[in-house]
Amino acid sequence: MFAKTIVSVFAAVATLTSAANAYKYDRLSRNDSALLVVDIQEGLFQLVHDIEPREYRNNILAFSALGVYFDLPTILTTSAETGPNGPFPPEILADHPKAPYIKRNGEVNAWDNADFRNAVKATGKKQLIVAGITTDVCVTFLSLSLREAGYDVFVVAEASGTFDATTAALSNDRMRDAGVHIMSFFSVACELMRDWRQAPGSVEIAQKWFGKYLPNYAALYNSWVSISNA
């Protein structure tokens, strides 16, 4: 009995060690990433109740700005925008005036639209950063299809909204089970940057950029500037 127990313990340890050694940090790279802005439309915005409206508006603009600041290929797509779903916020359109803009007329899952699939493939990128409305439908369905197609998918949770917190949590669990990375805006931005010394523009520009969308970071930066200039 004792011998069997020892064997079982060693087997469990070996399994855990093997699993740990097998893990590979799937790290975002500016050189292999593209941004997918999915159905973040003025009408659909009204369905979002898991995040407070003022906060959510800031979050979607921060998400859009990732593509501009890090110079990422960006694809815009809407669902039936001439109906109650409405258009993109003008700020997002202004961020990406030359981006492919796929106006879907019926496909719930953007991946079912051939123009959208072709636009994604044309980026040549394997890491896709996604956010949209609603989390449980437009974001989840697309993310699962992208995983099936072999892409690495990174969903920005704060820029994806739905009816309530329970629905958001269930959707995020479903995506995680498929290998989708559920991340924050700050973690995506920092992973793309990797090193403050490599920040686009300069460290100072990066700090001001973060502060624009993260009030706490702005306070940190302003406090440091004040002390430095004293």
Side-chain angles (χ1 to χ4, degrees):
M1 180 67 179
F2 179 74
K4 289 183 178 180
T5 301
I6 292 297
V7 170
S8 297
V9 169
F10 276 115
V13 170
T15 299
L16 289 172
T17 302
S18 176
N21 291 338
Y23 179 76
K24 184 179 184 299
Y25 179 11
D26 193 6
R27 203 172 175 190
L28 278 167
S29 167
R30 272 184 270 179
N31 297 325
D32 199 26
S33 296
L35 196 78
L36 308 184
V37 186
V38 184
D39 301 353
I40 299 180
Q41 298 167 242
E42 297 280 14
L44 293 176
F45 186 98
Q46 298 171 67
L47 301 179
V48 177
H49 293 282
D50 58 322
I51 304 172
E52 191 273 331
R54 287 169 297 183
E55 179 184 355
Y56 187 60
R57 183 169 182 80
N58 175 75
N59 295 349
I60 61 175
L61 297 182
F63 171 72
S64 175
L66 285 170
V68 179
Y69 183 64
F70 290 103
D71 194 24
L72 304 177
T74 299
I75 299 171
L76 310 177
T77 184
T78 56
S79 173
E81 68 171 53
T82 57
N85 291 354
F88 271 119
E91 296 93 334
I92 291 179
L93 293 175
D95 277 348
H96 310 286
K98 297 182 180 180
Y101 186 174
I102 313 302
K103 300 179 181 182
R104 307 185 331 273
N105 291 315
E107 301 93 343
V108 176
N109 183 345
W111 197 245
D112 290 338
N113 182 283
D115 291 336
F116 181 82
R117 287 197 307 274
N118 291 336
V120 171
K121 293 172 183 176
T123 67
K125 311 300 183 182
K126 294 297 291 182
Q127 297 181 328
L128 303 177
I129 305 168
V130 181
I133 308 171
T134 61
T135 309
D136 47 320
V137 175
C138 304
V139 175
T140 297
F141 293 0
L142 172 59
S143 296
L144 297 179
S145 293
L146 291 171
R147 288 294 296 139
E148 184 179 37
Y151 291 95
D152 295 328
V153 183
F154 302 78
V155 167
V156 179
E158 301 131 306
S160 300
T162 188
F163 301 100
D164 51 58
T166 299
T167 302
L170 290 171
S171 306
N172 289 335
D173 286 345
R174 184 183 183 192
M175 288 189 282
R176 281 193 196 95
D177 287 344
V180 175
H181 303 278
I182 308 299
M183 299 179 67
S184 68
F185 159 75
F186 190 55
S187 64
V188 167
C190 287
E191 202 158 85
L192 288 169
M193 184 173 65
R194 296 205 180 186
D195 189 323
W196 284 103
R197 293 166 298 182
Q198 298 172 7
S202 68
V203 172
E204 184 178 6
I205 288 174
Q207 290 172 330
K208 289 180 178 179
W209 183 79
F210 277 112
K212 181 178 180 180
Y213 302 105
L214 299 168
N216 292 352
Y217 196 92
L220 172 69
Y221 175 70
N222 291 335
S223 173
W224 173 76
V225 170
S226 177
I227 292 171
S228 301
N229 295 335

